[in-house]
Amino acid sequence: MAESDLALLQERFDYLTERESADHLAVNCPADKLIEFCTALRDEFGYDMLMDVTAVDWDAQSPRFTGIYHFLSTTKHVYLRVASDCPDDINPTLPSLCDLYAAANWHERETFDLMGIRYEGHPNLRRILMWDEYPYHPLRKEFPLAGIDVPLPAADVAEQTKASVIPAPMMGGPFVSSGDGPMSQTEPRARDESWTEKKEKPTD
Amino acid sequence: MDQKTVAYDSKVEGEVIVTQADAVINWIRKNSVWPMPMGLACCAIELMAAGGSRFDMARFGMEVMRFSPRQADCMIVAGTVTYKMAEVVRRIYEQMAEPKWVVAMGACASTGGMYRSYATMQGVDRIVPVDVYVSGCPPRPEALLDAMIKLQDKIGRESAVKNLTARKANGATPAPEMAGVGKDS
């Protein structure tokens, strides 16, 4: 079913290209055609549910950011992944799908918060997880895993308690589970236990 | 009761009981702890269980969970404190009536727990003075009850009268015990 969908879609929209995928059908769509394409997806191809909005940071590449959308057809029971490169690497933007899918609202806010992609036309593009004044986007590749030292969001609390936002102590982390074997032996542990907060991470 | 209480001899004293103000005040305080459940994550479920019939915190005179900070004197921080939430936790603490105590329930509230991440405050003691830390992820209700009994012991050892007069002389500055908090910032 999914393969025939691809043929139909490509026949109708000549700017689509098939995207390499390990599971479901995936297509690349240029950012300026996204609204037109998704409207047709919803109204004519039965992809009536927007499951997820996220993004990929390709770090040194250009285009650096790719917005990812997962659609589900509740009648055909198939998924479709749509990927759309952000034209600008410095101030990445994508059109907002809020008018098409109500689910896009919070998802796009989350992606904006953590990846810093602006969704043009979003009715309320505010941070959703981090506080409003937070200057960074934590899921970007250049953001350190433990975080960055910044002032506490509440100025009066910071003044009274002298507390600030500190990088989280990693103690050789991140802590990962090997995932196979009995649970007693797959407790999450640091891959590189040669360093701690007291003993600096060796530089190579 | 602790050693400060003087034994009561009804033949000598009649209807008068002689004791020390400290002992009386502490006895009243420690047997009428009104906790403010600051439930933020999974620990809050264990906190609810501690209040339920199986564990029944009421047996220890601390069952009066108050959801208004003005009617509570013991904040039980149960769960992960994110930096976004930290302001609210501190604000609620400030709204509580003096004297007040804080229990950090579970690994997250005590140290950030497994959340070694940019979003999680690495221990609620960075913004509020904690009296008792409870280990566990999440702690069982018994552990919380034990912590609350420990807190009662601590309240019983306080010099309540001295604190009262000292507070008055200082012009009632809020939370003077905050001085040593956040030393690593």
Side-chain angles (χ1 to χ4, degrees), chain A residues 129 156 160 162 164 169, chain B residues 84 91 94 116 118 126 185:
Chain A
L129 294 171
D156 52 341
Q160 199 160 20
K162 306 283 182 290
S164 69
Chain B
K84 196 172 182 175
R91 190 128 304 146
E94 280 170 358
R116 301 278 173 238
Y118 52 84
R126 293 173 52 77
S185 58

Side-chain angles (χ1 to χ4, degrees), chain B residues 43 46 104-111 113-114 133-140 143:
Chain B
C43 278
E46 302 294 319
M105 179 179 178
C108 288
S110 303
T111 66
M114 65 173 180
Y133 299 86
V134 192
S135 64
C137 182
R140 283 190 54 84

Side-chain angles (χ1 to χ4, degrees), chain A:
Chain A
M1 190 186 286
E3 283 70 28
S4 64
D5 254 6
L6 175 67
L8 275 175
L9 287 168
Q10 275 186 321
E11 191 182 321
R12 170 85 184 274
F13 306 103
D14 53 0
Y15 46 76
L16 290 186
T17 53
E18 190 178 3
R19 186 181 175 81
E20 199 179 324
S21 167
D23 43 18
H24 306 290
L25 175 62
V27 294
N28 293 309
C29 173
D32 52 339
K33 301 278 198 261
L34 198 61
I35 297 281
E36 172 199 332
F37 175 56
C38 292
T39 312
L41 273 187
R42 184 189 64 171
D43 297 338
E44 294 165 44
F45 292 88
Y47 288 97
D48 48 359
M49 192 168 172
L50 177 60
M51 301 291 296
D52 197 14
V53 178
T54 180
V56 184
D57 179 359
W58 299 106
D59 205 7
Q61 288 182 37
S62 182
R64 180 176 167 187
F65 295 99
T66 304
I68 309 280
Y69 301 86
H70 289 174
F71 295 98
L72 170 68
S73 168
T74 56
T75 50
K76 295 188 285 186
H77 307 295
V78 286
Y79 288 94
L80 172 66
R81 183 179 300 121
V82 177
S84 188
D85 290 333
C86 300
D88 192 344
D89 291 347
I90 309 298
N91 297 306
T93 55
L94 281 174
S96 171
L97 297 189
C98 281
D99 295 337
L100 300 175
Y101 294 91
N105 192 315
W106 280 26
H107 281 311
E108 287 180 353
R109 276 178 66 185
E110 188 184 10
T111 311
F112 164 69
D113 186 352
L114 300 179
M115 202 64 101
I117 293 175
R118 296 198 69 83
Y119 288 89
E120 300 293 341
H122 191 287
N124 183 21
L125 196 64
R126 284 184 301 132
R127 284 182 174 269
I128 192 166
L129 294 171
M130 308 303 285
W131 58 99
D132 288 333
E133 309 84 38
Y134 193 64
Y136 303 102
H137 302 290
L139 285 192
R140 287 193 176 184
K141 280 284 195 313
E142 80 267 11
F143 189 86
L145 203 57
I148 296 174
D149 203 338
V150 293
L152 203 70
D156 52 341
V157 176
E159 190 188 350
Q160 199 160 20
T161 62
K162 306 283 182 290
S164 69
V165 176
I166 50 166
M170 295 301 289
M171 300 304 285
F175 299 89
V176 287
S177 167
S178 65
D180 51 344
M183 279 182 78
S184 58
Q185 285 160 37
T186 55
E187 287 252 312
R189 61 190 76 227
R191 284 230 176 93
D192 177 10
E193 294 185 356
S194 62
W195 62 280
T196 63
E197 256 57 39
K198 296 201 173 91
K199 194 176 151 212
E200 288 268 307
K201 185 177 186 177
T203 51
D204 41 36

